[in-house]
Amino acid sequence: MRSEDLISSFGEIARSKDMDRDTLQIIVEDVFRAMLRKRYGSDEAFEIIFNPKQGDIQILHIQEVVGDWEVEDPVTEIKESEAKKIDDGFAVGDEVAGGLDVSEFGRRAVMTARQTFRQRIRDIEKEQVYQEYTELIGDIVVGEIYQVRRHETLLMHEDTELVLPRDEQIPGDHYRKGNMLRTVVKEVRRDAGSDPQVVVSRTSPVFMERLFEVEVPEVHDGIVEIKKVARIPGDRAKVAVESHDEKVDPVGACVGVKGVRINAVVRELSDENIDVMQWSDDPQELIARALSPAEPTNVSLNQDEDPPRARVEVPADEVSQAIGKRGVNIKLASQLTGYEIDVYREIPADEEDIDIEQFGDELTEETIGKLKRIGCDTGKAVLELSADALARRADLDRDTAKQVLEIIETEFEKGPGIIESIRQGRFTVESVQTAEAADTDGTTPSEASTESADSKGPGDADEEPAEAGAPAPDADGEETVVDGPAPNEPEQADGDSEATEEGGDEEVEEQDEIPQSPSEEQQEAESTPEEPEVRS
């Protein structure tokens, strides 16, 4: 093959790759030098002259003239006798430049040169792609979808393949071959010997920032600055913005008239909900704004921990809003502010609650410690969370979280015991004789009830005896709840019934005797000034 034909083929390849002449010249010289090194072992004694305009190449072999018996390297040296054959004027020490024809290398060497030329072009293209897209990291590119795979989607942008991995796609997006798609360049990967891989994303917060720059002129011009973006792709996002011009409202500029600007961003992000808020350099104020739509009443910071934590108190009816569905709102607020946020329910002064440490008999110290770390320091604060949310936030397994909720719910449903109710004056307890006591002393249950009624005072002896187990009026005309088993139940009554059994016979024989003194519980109940509450 002639040198002209080889250079012509090189030129065609270069034009198809849109390569400039300087690059082509460098590649051609490198290819021929590789051929020379392969044939002669070195290319130091050769000079390549390439003219890309005319498409010709000239290879000169430069040798030093030495004595006929002094040649050590035939590549760089030539005998004096051989030099004189070229020109009689050459002498020892002169340099002789002889031309080489490409055909002298052989067909195999020429084919190798063409393959080397193509490989060099590919290497240069890889380097160009790497350099070009490395500069585009963080910028939006529009590519055409040409292949949809299970774990990734491939796009074509200016003859360069872009890779959109599955985890960089917005959940719920559906792609079709031939559609145009906007993405942001996330990174460019390059492994040794392989093509550079351009990775693009639609879930990166930077993608949302670039969309605002496209849709909001104030953001593009730098008047409004996007300080930070927190996203849960496809679900919700929070954007903190700040204005560098007092006359420009940053939130209003991003939303636009009737939401025109922000709606364009929402449509591009598959209807992702976006909350735009004003940035603040005060962490407490920023945290309060980030928890919108909830309105915290108090925010306290703990900078000693890593990451720092914030204790936020919100009204009881806004706890669910502060946490958000599946914890989305508090998660985004934490991402935006950089603080681990613990939401506490604000407890009114007149509301009864139970400190979480009071459940030490049922819960382990480790579990109580985990609950306090997330702000659940009272029973009702724990009940504000579902089992899944409690397990996730407190780092508990779901069965333990369910058990914790059941223990606390049971405690609140159980309410105060009988003794506690007596102390609070809610009702009094009066004994009823058991069936065994009736058999022993011959007193029927109804008669025992009559005795209890008579024991209230001498003036009540003529009153109609009350039925066993039913409320009976006491000495002050107030109703008394009879607490004890029914007449047909064989169980032993409280300690009060024993006091009734001791004086039972005497009361039946003689009604006019001094009535038996009431039990200690009755005395304490009767001494309570507030009106007793009737409980069944």
Side-chain angles (χ1 to χ4, degrees):
M1 177 180 287
R2 298 181 306 170
S3 61
E4 293 81 1
D5 296 336
L6 182 61
I7 297 302
S8 178
S9 64
F10 287 172
E12 291 178 1
I13 297 173
R15 283 191 295 270
S16 65
K17 300 297 183 179
D18 193 19
M19 189 171 296
D20 58 272
R21 291 181 179 181
D22 294 337
T23 305
L24 176 61
Q25 183 174 353
I26 294 173
I27 295 176
V28 170
E29 290 183 4
D30 290 344
V31 168
F32 279 99
R33 288 192 178 278
M35 294 171 61
L36 293 170
R37 285 193 298 269
K38 186 173 184 181
R39 182 174 179 179
Y40 297 102
S42 174
D43 62 344
E44 296 179 358
F46 298 91
E47 184 176 346
I48 299 174
I49 302 174
F50 174 61
N51 188 351
K53 293 183 178 180
Q54 297 179 1
D56 59 352
I57 188 170
Q58 186 178 8
I59 303 175
L60 299 178
H61 188 185
I62 302 175
Q63 296 171 299
E64 183 181 358
V65 179
V66 297
D68 291 348
W69 305 102
E70 298 177 0
V71 176
E72 296 179 359
D73 186 0
V75 176
T76 59
E77 298 175 342
I78 188 173
K79 296 179 181 180
E80 183 180 4
S81 58
E82 294 292 334
K84 288 185 177 296
K85 290 179 181 180
I86 300 173
D87 191 339
D88 292 338
F90 285 119
V92 176
D94 294 340
E95 288 185 349
V96 178
L100 288 179
D101 193 353
V102 175
S103 59
E104 296 180 11
F105 290 94
R107 181 177 179 84
R108 179 174 295 180
V110 172
M111 296 299 295
T112 302
R114 295 184 65 176
Q115 293 176 359
T116 305
F117 184 77
R118 290 193 178 95
Q119 182 62 41
R120 285 297 309 277
I121 290 179
R122 284 196 293 268
D123 292 342
I124 292 177
E125 286 181 334
K126 292 178 184 179
E127 184 65 25
Q128 289 177 344
V129 169
Y130 181 80
Q131 295 295 336
E132 177 184 356
Y133 284 92
T134 299
E135 296 176 357
L136 290 177
I137 290 179
D139 292 342
I140 288 181
V141 294
V142 181
E144 180 182 356
I145 301 173
Y146 79 93
Q147 191 171 3
V148 179
R149 298 176 179 175
R150 181 177 181 182
H151 299 293
E152 61 186 11
T153 299
L154 303 181
L155 297 85
M156 189 62 65
H157 175 257
E158 297 180 357
D159 297 329
T160 302
E161 182 181 273
L162 310 179
V163 181
L164 179 63
R166 186 75 175 178
D167 56 353
E168 299 294 339
Q169 301 175 13
I170 297 176
D173 274 359
H174 300 283
Y175 307 121
R176 290 185 179 182
K177 184 178 179 180
N179 289 353
M180 304 301 293
L181 189 66
R182 282 201 286 189
T183 58
V184 66
V185 179
K186 183 177 182 181
E187 62 176 327
V188 183
R189 303 170 183 169
R190 182 171 62 176
D191 298 330
S194 63
D195 295 341
Q197 187 179 53
V198 183
V199 180
V200 295
S201 173
R202 286 175 58 82
T203 61
S204 172
V206 179
F207 183 50
M208 179 175 289
E209 292 184 25
R210 297 297 174 264
L211 290 176
F212 271 101
E213 290 180 2
V214 173
E215 301 295 339
V216 183
E218 290 83 355
V219 176
H220 181 270
D221 296 338
I223 299 174
V224 175
E225 179 184 359
I226 297 178
K227 300 292 290 186
K228 199 165 184 180
V229 174
R231 288 184 67 191
I232 297 180
D235 189 353
R236 192 173 176 183
K238 288 181 179 290
V239 182
V241 294
E242 183 182 31
S243 176
H244 297 293
D245 189 344
E246 297 179 355
K247 299 179 181 179
V248 177
D249 176 19
V251 177
C254 293
V255 174
V257 180
K258 297 183 179 180
V260 173
R261 294 177 175 177
I262 198 170
N263 284 339
V265 179
V266 169
R267 286 193 299 269
E268 180 65 35
L269 299 176
S270 302
D271 296 333
E272 184 175 318
N273 294 323
I274 303 175
D275 297 337
V276 181
M277 51 171 283
Q278 188 167 356
W279 174 265
S280 175
D281 293 327
D282 182 5
Q284 293 179 321
E285 186 175 358
L286 181 63
I287 292 172
R289 293 176 181 176
L291 287 174
S292 175
E295 297 181 0
T297 57
N298 183 42
V299 178
S300 57
L301 306 179
N302 184 358
Q303 304 283 1
D304 297 334
E305 297 190 27
D306 185 24
R309 305 186 74 90
R311 176 191 173 99
V312 180
E313 296 180 5
V314 298
D317 56 346
E318 295 183 6
V319 171
S320 59
Q321 294 180 351
I323 297 175
K325 187 177 181 181
R326 301 185 304 277
V328 169
N329 196 57
I330 192 172
K331 182 178 180 181
L332 290 175
S334 296
Q335 292 179 9
L336 193 71
T337 60
Y339 283 78
E340 287 290 336
I341 300 176
D342 299 322
V343 175
Y344 290 77
R345 184 173 64 92
E346 186 182 34
I347 303 176
D350 57 347
E351 182 178 348
E352 296 182 1
D353 205 344
I354 303 176
D355 191 272
I356 194 64
E357 294 182 350
Q358 298 299 321
F359 296 91
D361 295 339
E362 294 87 357
L363 303 178
T364 63
E365 293 183 3
E366 181 182 2
T367 302
I368 292 176
K370 290 181 177 181
L371 294 175
K372 294 180 69 175
R373 278 196 296 271
I374 65 171
C376 296
D377 53 354
T378 64
K380 289 188 177 180
V382 177
L383 296 180
E384 293 288 346
L385 303 175
S386 64
D388 293 333
L390 184 62
R392 177 180 56 82
R393 295 188 59 195
D395 192 21
L396 301 172
D397 57 79
R398 196 174 188 281
D399 294 337
T400 304
K402 290 178 63 177
Q403 183 180 4
V404 170
L405 291 175
E406 290 174 358
I407 291 173
I408 296 176
E409 287 176 356
T410 302
E411 185 65 25
F412 277 101
E413 291 174 358
K414 183 171 62 177
I418 294 176
I419 301 300
E420 181 66 22
S421 299
I422 294 173
R423 290 175 178 175
Q424 296 177 2
R426 295 185 178 178
F427 60 84
T428 58
V429 177
E430 190 169 305
S431 302
V432 178
Q433 251 188 338
T434 61
E436 293 180 0
D439 294 337
T440 302
D441 55 21
T443 305
T444 62
S446 60
E447 291 173 345
S449 300
T450 305
E451 294 168 8
S452 300
D454 294 338
S455 65
K456 294 297 181 179
D460 298 331
D462 297 333
E463 293 181 5
E464 184 178 353
E467 296 181 1
D474 58 12
D476 299 328
E478 298 175 347
E479 290 185 346
T480 302
V481 177
V482 179
D483 184 22
N488 57 352
E489 288 181 355
E491 296 182 1
Q492 179 69 26
D494 296 336
D496 298 335
S497 64
E498 295 177 1
T500 307
E501 283 184 318
E502 294 176 0
D505 295 338
E506 298 177 0
E507 292 174 358
V508 173
E509 293 175 0
E510 186 175 358
Q511 296 288 342
D512 296 332
E513 292 183 6
I514 298 175
Q516 181 185 359
S517 61
S519 62
E520 294 179 1
E521 288 84 359
Q522 290 173 324
Q523 291 177 355
E524 188 172 358
E526 290 173 356
S527 63
T528 305
E530 65 180 80
E531 184 177 352
E533 178 184 352
V534 178
R535 294 176 63 91
S536 59

